[in-house]
Amino acid sequence: MNNKIAEDLKLAMKSGDKFRLSVLRMLKSALQLESISKKHELSDEETLTVLKKQVKTRKDSIEEFTKYNKAEEVAKLEQEIEIINTYLPVEMTKEEIKQVIDEVFNIVKPTSMKDMGRIMKELNAKITNADMSLVSKMVKERLG
């Protein structure tokens, strides 16, 4: 995956796509920082974790910019997320998430909000490619 990002960075340089180039440079930088802090070359799984963190950071920023009606910044961040998402596996749909939540509820049989931790632990094991804040929100709605 790191090689793919490096290759795409070269292609963006050659094609003159400045926006894509800047996003890929940010990604490469974040990956290098993580690699340095872990003191080894990142595995694909670790790379995915860094990429997901980059997407989450941008989503959080979009929320803030939306509060202050900064449409230009929101659009820019959404484009950045699109570029990063090309390296991530396709996220689960709400329906797919709901099915997994139903399965876990049948296993855990929660009675109150106190069971949230057990439910989320089970879901973390079963869900690998979804926005966990959305999953948590869906579980809270179901428990509420």
Side-chain angles (χ1 to χ4, degrees):
M1 187 171 292
N2 284 327
N3 294 338
K4 173 86 172 109
I5 292 171
E7 286 298 315
D8 288 351
L9 194 129
K10 288 177 193 171
L11 289 173
M13 259 189 250
K14 288 177 184 174
S15 70
D17 186 346
K18 290 182 179 173
F19 184 76
R20 187 174 186 81
L21 180 63
S22 72
V23 172
L24 291 174
R25 279 184 174 153
M26 282 188 277
L27 280 181
K28 192 163 173 62
S29 171
L31 291 168
Q32 284 175 329
L33 280 172
E34 188 69 15
S35 179
I36 290 168
S37 73
K38 292 206 183 267
K39 293 181 169 66
H40 65 80
E41 200 65 33
L42 296 179
S43 67
D44 279 351
E45 193 171 301
E46 291 169 325
T47 301
L48 281 176
T49 303
V50 173
L51 295 179
K52 286 178 184 177
K53 191 183 290 184
Q54 292 294 312
V55 169
K56 183 178 180 351
T57 301
R58 284 163 176 78
K59 284 182 178 179
D60 292 344
S61 296
I62 285 174
E63 282 181 31
E64 290 301 311
F65 283 133
T66 303
K67 286 180 190 174
Y68 299 105
N69 298 321
K70 304 270 188 182
E72 258 182 56
E73 284 84 357
V74 169
K76 181 180 170 233
L77 288 169
E78 286 171 344
Q79 285 179 307
E80 289 180 11
I81 289 172
E82 266 181 49
I83 291 170
I84 298 169
N85 278 337
T86 61
Y87 302 102
L88 293 171
V90 178
E91 281 197 355
M92 294 174 73
T93 64
K94 280 189 176 182
E95 285 303 312
E96 292 170 327
I97 294 170
K98 188 180 178 310
Q99 285 177 330
V100 176
I101 289 173
D102 289 343
E103 289 173 22
V104 170
F105 267 67
N106 287 334
I107 294 168
V108 176
K109 300 190 184 341
T111 55
S112 69
M113 263 316 221
K114 291 179 183 175
D115 297 316
M116 180 81 176
R118 287 184 26 228
I119 293 167
M120 289 307 292
K121 182 179 177 187
E122 288 286 327
L123 288 171
N124 276 327
K126 292 181 181 275
I127 296 176
T128 55
N129 53 341
D131 179 0
M132 291 311 284
S133 61
L134 172 66
V135 173
S136 174
K137 183 177 168 189
M138 290 171 74
V139 169
K140 284 178 186 170
E141 286 173 2
R142 176 109 182 244
L143 284 172

